[in-house]
């Protein structure tokens, strides 16, 4: 995909739309939800999506408003919006849809986000793990109904929550079943959710490769790294930290320990610089596990990394993850 050309074209389209608010709402939804994410800092785009949502409601463009609201919800979850205020926004969005708009598919698409937030926050009244709200049957049914994007959205949330909570054995069969078909299918290769299906799928694949030396897993990881290299060339802000973390895990899997240590450090620094607090937490946690495996279990470095990971997860609002991390050996 030619990201620069698409980025230029939507800017031209917005200027042509002029004062026609109805047309402008549709163009802005596509611009901020699907195009600018590849070129501009994602955190700056989230408020713009909120504005388009409210503008669309004002002009009676209900379907456009709901689509924009869904764009915002998925982007806010995956890019590390603070979970406590975000959970209130999602609850309000779902309530408005249920009471006023009654779009069943929209509710189905956003429900996994709400449950994912509840899981991460450790809410006792909500699901305790991702397998309770995204099952194998949910994924299979979406594919049977030819709802490929919805299936990939659920898959990405399932991969993210499973990896963050280290439910690696539980998710392995799902990863093997779904990663390669989505990769082979190659459809919608520039959709937002592809980023996180590949990011968490790549991290999971590298874990499995370290355990098994199965070439299948290395192929999945190499594909994820290749994609992230392309996207980083378009936006260092949005993708560099993810690329560094995948590279760190790749070096670790290959026994290149000095290179791995350097990439873990770069991943932490890039995540902090570009304001991805949840991914900084993940980079610190994985770096700590790496140093323990490398024989540094008594090093102050490990303790500092775990402390920083806990602080970042707490800042994000992922108290459920903090609890599990503090209880882990």
């Amino acid at each position: 995909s030619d990201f620069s050309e698409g980025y230029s074209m939507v800017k031209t389209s917005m200027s042509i739309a002029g004062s026609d608010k109805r047309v402008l709402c549709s163009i802005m939804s596509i611009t901020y939800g699907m195009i600018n994410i590849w070129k501009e800092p994602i955190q700056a785009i989230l408020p713009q999506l909120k504005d388009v949502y409210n503008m669309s409601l004002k002009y009676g463009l209900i379907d456009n408003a709901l689509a924009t609201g869904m764009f915002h919800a998925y982007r806010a979850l995956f890019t590390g919006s603070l979970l406590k205020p975000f959970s209130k926004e999602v609850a309000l969005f779902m309530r408005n849809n249920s009471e006023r708009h009654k779009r069943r598919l929209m509710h189905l698409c956003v429900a996994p986000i709400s449950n994912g937030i509840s899981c991460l926050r450790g809410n006792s009244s909500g699901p305790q793990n991702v397998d309770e709200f995204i099952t194998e049957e949910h994924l299979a049914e979406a594919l049977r109904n030819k709802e490929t994007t919805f299936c990939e959205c659920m898959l990405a949330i399932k991969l993210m929550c499973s990896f963050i909570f280290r439910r690696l054995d539980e998710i392995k069969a799902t990863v093997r079943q779904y990663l390669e078909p989505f990769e082979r299918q190659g459809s919608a290769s520039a959709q937002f959710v592809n980023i996180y299906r590949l990011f968490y799928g790549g991290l999971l694949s590298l874990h499995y490769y370290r355990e098994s030396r199965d070439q299948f897993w290395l192929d999945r990881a190499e594909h994820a790294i290749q994609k992230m290299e392309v996207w980083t060339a378009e936006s260092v802000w949005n993708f560099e930290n993810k690329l560094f973390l995948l590279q760190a895990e790749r070096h670790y899997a290959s026994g290149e320990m000095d290179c791995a240590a350097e990439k873990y450090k770069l991943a932490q620094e890039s995540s902090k610089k570009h304001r991805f607090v949840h991914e900084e937490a993940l980079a610190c946690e994985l770096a700590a596990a790496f140093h323990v495996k490398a024989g540094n279990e008594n090093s102050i470095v490990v303790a500092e990394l775990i402390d920083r990971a806990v602080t970042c997860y707490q800042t994000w609002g992922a108290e459920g993850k903090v609890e599990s991390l503090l209880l882990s050996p």
Side-chain angles (χ1 to χ4, degrees):
S1 299
D2 190 333
F3 295 103
S4 296
E5 183 177 352
Y7 185 60
S8 176
M9 288 177 67
V10 293
K11 286 182 174 295
T12 302
S13 299
M14 288 175 66
S15 64
I16 292 174
S19 60
D20 190 330
K21 300 300 184 183
R22 296 174 68 87
V23 173
L24 188 59
C25 283
S26 297
I27 294 174
M28 290 171 69
S29 180
I30 294 170
T31 299
Y32 299 133
M34 302 176 69
I35 306 298
N36 288 12
I37 54 174
W38 304 100
K39 303 296 287 187
E40 297 181 3
I42 186 68
Q43 296 92 340
I45 293 170
L46 295 177
Q48 294 171 324
L49 284 170
K50 282 187 182 180
D51 290 343
V52 177
Y53 171 75
N54 290 324
M55 187 186 304
S56 297
L57 287 179
K58 178 180 178 180
Y59 290 103
L61 304 173
I62 303 304
D63 288 339
N64 193 72
L66 294 177
T68 304
M70 187 176 66
F71 284 163
H72 176 271
Y74 273 94
R75 284 140 189 77
L77 173 67
F78 282 118
T79 56
S81 290
L82 300 185
L83 293 173
K84 185 175 180 179
F86 179 43
S87 67
K88 295 178 181 178
E89 292 179 1
V90 172
L92 179 61
F93 177 80
M94 293 182 71
R95 185 164 63 249
N96 285 340
N97 178 60
S98 177
E99 294 176 356
R100 301 179 186 177
H101 313 308
K102 306 187 189 309
R103 303 297 202 275
R104 177 179 173 276
L105 182 58
M106 192 62 60
H107 179 84
L108 290 175
C109 288
V110 179
I113 298 175
S114 177
N115 287 324
I117 295 169
S118 180
C119 184
L120 289 163
R121 294 186 66 200
N123 291 343
S124 58
S125 59
Q128 299 305 297
N129 67 73
V130 69
D131 297 327
E132 294 180 24
F133 62 91
I134 301 177
T135 66
E136 294 304 308
E137 178 55 29
H138 289 139
L139 296 173
E141 182 181 6
L143 285 185
R144 285 196 301 269
N145 294 336
K146 301 187 183 335
E147 296 167 345
T148 307
T149 299
F150 179 38
C151 179
E152 189 174 10
C153 289
M154 288 193 293
L155 178 64
I157 292 174
K158 191 174 181 73
L159 297 180
M160 179 182 77
C161 291
S162 297
F163 190 79
I164 287 175
F165 283 101
R166 313 305 289 164
R167 294 178 59 83
L168 308 177
D169 292 336
E170 293 86 343
I171 192 70
K172 186 174 183 179
T174 301
V175 179
R176 180 175 280 276
Q177 180 179 353
Y178 285 96
L179 275 194
E180 188 179 21
F182 273 112
E183 176 186 320
R184 190 170 59 243
Q185 185 180 38
S187 65
S189 60
Q191 284 200 24
F192 173 82
V193 73
N194 302 155
I195 300 165
Y196 294 91
R197 186 249 304 164
L198 284 163
F199 178 53
Y200 289 105
L203 291 174
L204 283 159
S205 295
L206 285 164
H207 170 81
Y208 300 138
Y209 178 68
R210 283 201 305 271
E211 287 189 330
S212 67
R213 316 314 288 183
D214 183 342
Q215 185 66 33
F216 173 87
W217 297 116
L218 184 58
D219 289 345
R220 306 287 75 73
E222 294 287 10
H223 176 74
I225 291 171
Q226 182 183 38
K227 282 288 189 181
M228 211 61 69
E229 288 172 342
V230 172
W231 295 336
T232 299
E234 300 293 337
S235 174
V236 168
W237 185 286
N238 289 339
F239 301 107
E240 180 188 69
N241 70 306
K242 300 168 187 61
L243 175 60
F244 283 149
L245 191 54
L246 284 166
Q247 290 174 331
E249 291 281 284
R250 175 67 175 88
H251 286 307
Y252 177 18
S254 301
E256 300 162 352
M257 307 306 257
D258 290 342
C259 291
E262 178 61 22
K263 291 292 185 179
Y264 283 121
K265 183 178 180 181
L266 289 172
Q268 295 159 45
E269 292 172 350
S270 181
S271 297
K272 183 176 182 178
K273 178 180 179 181
H274 299 129
R275 307 208 311 266
F276 295 108
V277 67
H278 61 320
E279 290 166 1
E280 182 185 354
L282 194 59
C284 290
E285 182 183 359
L286 293 181
F290 160 77
H291 283 295
V292 169
K293 192 70 173 180
N296 300 325
E297 52 263 66
N298 295 322
S299 170
I300 193 171
V301 172
V302 174
E304 289 175 346
L305 285 168
I306 293 297
D307 285 347
R308 181 60 186 166
V310 167
T311 298
C312 288
Y313 281 127
Q314 288 175 329
T315 300
W316 187 26
E319 294 295 340
K321 169 59 182 180
V322 170
E323 183 178 352
S324 69
L325 183 58
L326 293 176
L327 290 175
S328 64

